[in-house]
Amino acid sequence: GNSVTQMEGPVTLSEEAFLTINCTYTATGYPSLFWYVQYPGEGLQLLLKATKADDKGSNKGFEATYRKETTSFHLEKGSVQVSDSAVYFCALHPMNSGGYQKVTFGIGTKLQVIP
Amino acid sequence: DTGVSQNPRHKITKRGQNVTFRCDPISEHNRLYWYRQTLGQGPEFLTYFQNEAQLEKSRLLSDRFSAERPKGSFSTLEIQRTEQGDSAMYLCASSPTVDSGNTIYFGEGSWLTVV
């Protein structure tokens, strides 16, 4: 079956530090890969996605590259801000699972950015 | 606001009581999903509707849980005889029939606390 492994947090960084959150996956076929962000007390927001190998997703200064050879989709940001404090979920959207999206999520990594 | 809408956002109930959550998907979306997120975990798939037909149910959905989508528009998730282990956030999501880059759209979630 499909699975997503992401680094456990919490991750605590100072403002303007470089962020990496590791994510690896196992899947059959060619899934799409997503990062979601969840702010305290809120639902999931799509942060970025990549639908095929070597694609790079980017949004709000965050980036992640779909690496098929290492089955990875690590999230990076060059300079984090206090407002980036949230929980980040790596997720796998399977390819054509009957035409609908049965998403597999990682455990989530809590990021805390301190001024 | 044309996003996925969930009500109520928060519900505190006594053990043994029944609760019902409602989800209004994005209007043109035929596909509707329910996920459950417990504290410190990523969301887990519960069930999927294509229009009014419930096409898949997770083993996580015990007999006390029932989901409906009677007219293919809004959906309800009812939990009977609630237990403390049911405390979680229940997320609804929707997606169009035509593939939109494998993207699904999540609501803000409904928090359930069973005391």
Side-chain angles (χ1 to χ4, degrees):
Chain A
N2 298 332
S3 67
V4 174
T5 303
Q6 67 181 104
M7 58 188 294
E8 292 192 30
V11 174
T12 302
L13 295 174
S14 297
E15 205 165 22
E16 299 183 2
F18 184 85
L19 168 71
T20 299
I21 300 178
N22 291 335
C23 171
T24 57
Y25 68 92
T26 57
T28 54
Y30 303 96
S32 296
L33 299 174
F34 287 63
W35 278 99
Y36 290 89
V37 58
Q38 187 173 42
Y39 298 100
E42 298 186 9
L44 294 175
Q45 297 180 25
L46 173 62
L47 181 60
L48 56 83
K49 68 177 185 181
T51 58
K52 61 182 187 296
D54 299 326
D55 269 3
K56 177 186 284 187
S58 61
N59 186 26
K60 299 181 181 179
F62 291 89
E63 293 182 340
T65 301
Y66 189 159
R67 300 289 188 197
K68 190 171 184 295
E69 64 276 14
T70 55
T71 62
S72 65
F73 193 55
H74 305 320
L75 182 68
E76 297 182 335
K77 187 175 185 182
S79 176
V80 294
Q81 306 300 312
V82 172
S83 58
D84 294 327
S85 298
V87 180
Y88 292 82
F89 291 94
C90 186
L92 184 157
H93 289 221
M95 176 75 172
N96 196 28
S97 57
Y100 62 95
Q101 299 302 318
K102 187 175 175 182
V103 182
T104 299
F105 288 87
I107 195 172
T109 302
K110 183 176 182 179
L111 170 66
Q112 184 177 13
V113 181
I114 54 178
Chain B
D1 185 9
T2 57
V4 178
S5 177
Q6 294 188 243
N7 289 288
R9 292 290 315 282
H10 301 274
K11 178 73 175 178
I12 300 174
T13 191
K14 291 183 178 180
R15 189 175 54 185
Q17 297 295 305
N18 299 345
V19 296
T20 299
F21 299 111
R22 175 179 170 127
C23 171
D24 288 273
I26 294 171
S27 60
E28 64 268 25
H29 287 185
N30 301 92
R31 296 173 176 163
L32 187 146
Y33 316 80
W34 285 98
Y35 285 77
R36 180 173 69 185
Q37 184 181 8
T38 53
L39 202 60
Q41 300 294 319
E44 296 174 291
F45 173 83
L46 290 180
T47 190
Y48 159 70
F49 288 86
Q50 171 80 24
N51 297 313
E52 67 276 8
Q54 188 175 21
L55 298 185
E56 184 170 351
K57 291 172 60 174
S58 163
R59 288 172 296 176
L60 294 174
L61 219 60
S62 76
D63 291 344
R64 296 184 298 103
F65 287 72
S66 63
E68 296 181 344
R69 195 182 183 197
K71 297 181 180 179
S73 56
F74 73 91
S75 175
T76 57
L77 177 68
E78 181 184 17
I79 308 173
Q80 296 181 324
R81 305 181 303 281
T82 52
E83 302 173 356
Q84 287 188 323
D86 298 331
S87 296
M89 181 163 69
Y90 292 86
L91 286 160
C92 180
S94 70
S95 67
T97 305
V98 176
D99 188 14
S100 60
N102 289 2
T103 299
I104 66 173
Y105 301 84
F106 284 89
E108 293 288 308
S110 292
W111 286 97
L112 172 65
T113 302
V114 181
V115 297

